[in-house]
Amino acid sequence: MSRESGFRGNKASLPSKPCVACGRPMTWRKKWERTWEQVKYCSDRCRMDAARRPAP
């Protein structure tokens, strides 16, 4: 790999947003490329905990 192409592992430049359930920052993943706008939870545990909580 040449240095001209840039560093391809710089996670600091990826977008991030907070988890709706716990507030932890979530960093963009390739897996979420098409659905990044719909991603709300950082993990299955947060998603399940949010489902168990009663709605306000």
Side-chain angles (χ1 to χ4, degrees):
M1 175 186 272
S2 69
R3 291 190 178 254
E4 294 174 26
S5 64
F7 179 59
R8 295 188 67 200
N10 190 357
K11 294 182 181 180
S13 65
L14 295 174
S16 66
K17 61 183 172 181
C19 174
V20 174
C22 69
R24 290 181 186 169
M26 298 183 293
T27 305
W28 183 90
R29 297 180 187 178
K30 178 71 174 174
K31 180 179 178 179
W32 295 334
E33 183 173 21
R34 293 186 180 126
T35 61
W36 177 243
E37 296 301 319
Q38 290 83 31
V39 174
K40 296 180 184 179
Y41 306 106
C42 64
S43 65
D44 287 337
R45 182 175 181 168
C46 280
R47 184 175 47 82
M48 296 299 283
D49 287 346
R52 287 186 198 130
R53 274 186 285 175

